Amino acid sequence: MTQPVLNVEAIHPDLWRASQLGSAHGRVVASGHARLDAELPGRGWPTGALTEVILPQPGCGELRLLKPALEAVASRPVFMLQPPHRLQPAAFTWWGIEPENLRVLKAPTTADSLWAAEQILRAGTAGALLFWQQQIRPEALRRLHLAAQRTDTLLFLFRPTAAAASTSPAPLRISVEAAAGGLNISFIKRRGPHRDEPVFVALSPTPVLLNRHAPLDRRSSATPAHREFLPNLVHAGV
């Protein structure tokens, strides 16, 4: 007798068939790239969850990849935490993200930057939080993911290539590699089957957003929306 096909996600949202993409727990924001959306659980970037983006180096196209999603949430503040190079505010204005909605934060220590990230998420007012961090402990990753789950914020954590081999609670982990005319996106972890071949995403030329040829900016950002790290971050409108 043929057994009925069970909808495993109806049993629990954390279950899915290994041959199929899982659904997103909450709202998603379309990536703006049809081929990539077809491979993302829920067909978009998840809100209320930690998404890791593994980079060979900052400024290899990660912001252009996220451009459509950032435009979609730009009615709310977009936070850039610990960008390793100077941001170009004119490029974001050209995108349609107004300077007053772009907040750049620099913290003096890793502990301070993690604290700031948690406060931004707990406030629940951000459309997106983009966070560049070289080293982060597993317990800090769990805290970020838990804080994100209480919001509808897009949370992207940019980490170096070496981090790809480490474990993470993030339900979505991708790596990006520059290619002619765009990026190759590989899936390190997702709610769905393993994919061997990368997904190519074509990216249109745009004014420089994150200049990877510029020296590391350890003092301040060039954008007018820059804010130094303050102990009273929550009371400053975060």
Side-chain angles (χ1 to χ4, degrees):
M1 181 177 177
T2 303
Q3 295 293 323
V5 177
L6 294 176
N7 181 0
V8 294
E9 290 185 347
I11 300 172
H12 194 281
D14 285 333
L15 296 176
W16 70 92
R17 294 185 181 277
S19 60
Q20 299 174 336
L21 286 176
S23 63
H25 284 198
R27 185 174 71 94
V28 300
V29 176
S31 75
H33 312 286
R35 294 183 62 188
L36 180 58
D37 280 339
E39 298 294 333
L40 290 170
R43 294 187 173 272
W45 301 118
T47 63
L50 171 62
T51 295
E52 285 190 27
V53 183
I54 306 299
L55 305 171
Q57 59 184 347
C60 66
E62 65 268 29
L63 292 181
R64 284 191 293 155
L65 173 67
L66 301 180
K67 172 182 178 289
L70 296 182
E71 288 178 310
V73 300
S75 60
R76 298 161 63 191
V78 173
F79 287 85
M80 306 279 180
L81 179 58
Q82 299 296 79
H85 302 299
R86 292 186 179 184
L87 295 171
Q88 304 298 327
F92 288 97
T93 301
W94 183 76
W95 273 6
I97 300 177
E98 297 302 326
E100 58 267 24
N101 271 4
L102 183 64
R103 316 289 174 81
V104 179
L105 301 176
K106 301 287 285 186
T109 68
T110 298
D112 287 334
S113 66
L114 291 167
W115 180 87
E118 287 192 51
Q119 301 312 307
I120 292 168
L121 293 169
R122 287 176 180 172
T125 59
L129 168 59
L130 281 62
F131 184 15
W132 287 261
Q133 188 63 48
Q134 287 288 317
Q135 297 183 0
I136 184 168
R137 295 179 180 274
E139 57 269 26
L141 285 174
R142 288 192 293 271
R143 287 175 63 93
L144 278 179
H145 184 48
L146 287 173
Q149 288 178 312
R150 302 184 181 98
T151 74
D152 63 350
T153 298
L154 285 170
L155 171 59
F156 295 97
L157 176 64
F158 302 107
R159 304 181 69 191
T161 302
S166 61
T167 59
S168 170
L172 178 61
R173 306 182 77 202
I174 64 171
S175 66
V176 304
E177 181 181 12
L183 292 174
N184 284 324
I185 311 297
S186 298
F187 289 90
I188 301 170
K189 179 183 176 183
R190 66 174 176 173
R191 291 168 51 84
H194 177 72
R195 181 187 170 96
D196 293 320
E197 294 297 320
V199 177
F200 175 74
V201 173
L203 298 177
S204 301
T206 188
V208 175
L209 294 165
L210 188 62
N211 187 354
R212 64 187 176 87
H213 299 296
L216 285 174
D217 180 13
R218 303 185 186 278
R219 297 167 297 138
S220 64
S221 169
T223 175
H226 170 76
R227 296 182 182 182
E228 294 291 347
F229 177 84
L230 296 173
N232 60 342
L233 184 63
V234 175
H235 303 292
V238 172

